[in-house]
Coordinates of all heavy atoms in Angstrom, one line a residue:
Chain Q
L102 N 4.5 -16.4 -16.2 CA 3.2 -17.0 -16.3 C 3.1 -18.4 -16.0 O 2.1 -18.9 -15.3 CB 2.6 -16.7 -17.7 CG 1.2 -17.0 -18.0 CD1 0.2 -16.4 -17.0 CD2 0.8 -16.7 -19.4
N103 N 4.1 -19.2 -16.4 CA 4.1 -20.6 -16.1 C 4.1 -20.9 -14.6 O 3.7 -22.0 -14.2 CB 5.4 -21.2 -16.6 CG 5.4 -21.4 -18.1 OD1 4.3 -21.4 -18.7 ND2 6.5 -21.6 -18.7
D104 N 4.6 -20.0 -13.8 CA 4.6 -20.2 -12.3 C 3.2 -20.1 -11.6 O 3.1 -20.4 -10.5 CB 5.5 -19.1 -11.6 CG 6.9 -19.1 -12.2 OD1 7.4 -20.2 -12.5 OD2 7.5 -18.0 -12.2
L105 N 2.3 -19.5 -12.4 CA 1.0 -19.1 -11.7 C 0.3 -20.2 -10.9 O 0.0 -19.9 -9.8 CB 0.1 -18.4 -12.8 CG -1.1 -17.6 -12.2 CD1 -0.7 -16.6 -11.2 CD2 -1.8 -16.9 -13.4
P106 N 0.1 -21.4 -11.5 CA -0.6 -22.4 -10.7 C 0.1 -22.7 -9.4 O -0.6 -22.8 -8.3 CB -0.6 -23.6 -11.6 CG -0.5 -23.0 -13.0 CD 0.4 -21.8 -12.9
L107 N 1.4 -22.8 -9.4 CA 2.2 -23.0 -8.2 C 2.0 -21.9 -7.2 O 1.9 -22.1 -6.0 CB 3.6 -23.2 -8.5 CG 4.5 -23.7 -7.4 CD1 4.1 -25.1 -6.8 CD2 6.0 -23.8 -7.8
L108 N 2.0 -20.7 -7.7 CA 1.9 -19.5 -6.8 C 0.5 -19.5 -6.1 O 0.4 -19.2 -4.9 CB 2.1 -18.2 -7.6 CG 3.5 -18.0 -8.2 CD1 3.6 -16.7 -8.9 CD2 4.6 -18.2 -7.2
V109 N -0.5 -19.8 -6.9 CA -1.9 -19.8 -6.3 C -1.9 -21.0 -5.2 O -2.5 -20.8 -4.2 CB -2.9 -20.0 -7.4 CG1 -4.3 -20.1 -6.7 CG2 -2.9 -18.7 -8.3
A110 N -1.3 -22.1 -5.6 CA -1.3 -23.2 -4.6 C -0.6 -22.8 -3.3 O -1.1 -23.1 -2.2 CB -0.5 -24.4 -5.2
M111 N 0.4 -22.0 -3.4 CA 1.2 -21.5 -2.3 C 0.3 -20.5 -1.4 O 0.3 -20.6 -0.2 CB 2.5 -20.8 -2.7 CG 3.6 -21.0 -1.8 SD 5.1 -20.2 -2.5 CE 6.0 -21.6 -3.1
L112 N -0.4 -19.7 -2.1 CA -1.3 -18.7 -1.4 C -2.4 -19.5 -0.7 O -2.8 -19.1 0.4 CB -1.9 -17.7 -2.4 CG -0.9 -16.7 -3.0 CD1 -1.6 -15.9 -4.1 CD2 -0.4 -15.8 -1.9
A113 N -2.9 -20.6 -1.3 CA -4.0 -21.3 -0.7 C -3.5 -22.2 0.4 O -4.3 -22.6 1.3 CB -4.7 -22.2 -1.8
D114 N -2.2 -22.5 0.5 CA -1.7 -23.4 1.5 C -1.3 -22.6 2.7 O -0.1 -22.4 3.1 CB -0.5 -24.2 1.0 CG 0.1 -25.1 2.0 OD1 -0.6 -25.5 3.0 OD2 1.3 -25.4 1.9
D115 N -2.3 -22.0 3.4 CA -2.1 -21.0 4.4 C -3.3 -21.0 5.3 O -4.4 -21.0 4.7 CB -1.8 -19.7 3.7 CG -1.7 -18.5 4.7 OD1 -0.6 -18.3 5.3 OD2 -2.7 -17.9 4.9
E116 N -3.1 -20.8 6.5 CA -4.2 -20.7 7.5 C -5.3 -19.8 7.1 O -6.5 -20.2 7.1 CB -3.6 -20.2 8.8 CG -4.3 -20.4 10.1 CD -3.6 -19.7 11.2 OE1 -2.4 -19.4 11.1 OE2 -4.2 -19.4 12.3
L117 N -5.0 -18.6 6.7 CA -6.1 -17.7 6.3 C -6.4 -17.8 4.8 O -7.5 -17.6 4.3 CB -5.7 -16.2 6.6 CG -5.4 -16.0 8.1 CD1 -4.9 -14.5 8.3 CD2 -6.6 -16.2 8.9
G118 N -5.3 -18.2 4.0 CA -5.5 -18.2 2.5 C -6.4 -19.3 2.0 O -7.0 -19.1 1.0
R119 N -6.5 -20.4 2.8 CA -7.3 -21.5 2.2 C -8.8 -21.2 2.1 O -9.5 -21.7 1.3 CB -7.1 -22.8 3.1 CG -7.7 -22.8 4.4 CD -7.4 -24.2 5.1 NE -6.2 -24.0 6.0 CZ -5.0 -24.6 5.7 NH1 -4.8 -25.2 4.6 NH2 -3.9 -24.4 6.5
E120 N -9.2 -20.2 2.9 CA -10.6 -19.8 2.7 C -10.8 -18.7 1.6 O -12.0 -18.5 1.2 CB -11.2 -19.2 4.1 CG -11.2 -20.3 5.1 CD -11.6 -19.9 6.5 OE1 -12.1 -18.7 6.6 OE2 -11.5 -20.7 7.4
R121 N -9.8 -18.1 1.2 CA -9.9 -17.0 0.3 C -9.6 -17.4 -1.2 O -10.1 -16.7 -2.1 CB -8.8 -15.9 0.6 CG -9.0 -15.3 2.0 CD -7.7 -14.4 2.2 NE -7.7 -13.9 3.5 CZ -6.7 -13.3 4.1 NH1 -5.5 -13.3 3.5 NH2 -6.8 -12.9 5.3
E122 N -8.7 -18.4 -1.3 CA -8.2 -18.7 -2.7 C -9.0 -19.8 -3.3 O -9.8 -20.5 -2.6 CB -6.7 -19.0 -2.6 CG -5.9 -17.9 -1.9 CD -6.1 -16.5 -2.5 OE1 -6.5 -16.3 -3.7 OE2 -5.8 -15.5 -1.7

Side-chain angles (χ1 to χ4, degrees):
Chain Q
L102 186 54
N103 284 344
D104 303 325
L105 192 54
L107 186 63
L108 299 184
V109 176
M111 215 180 254
L112 290 173
D114 178 24
D115 171 85
E116 197 182 342
L117 301 176
R119 71 183 94 253
E120 295 178 9
R121 297 173 186 163
E122 307 306 337

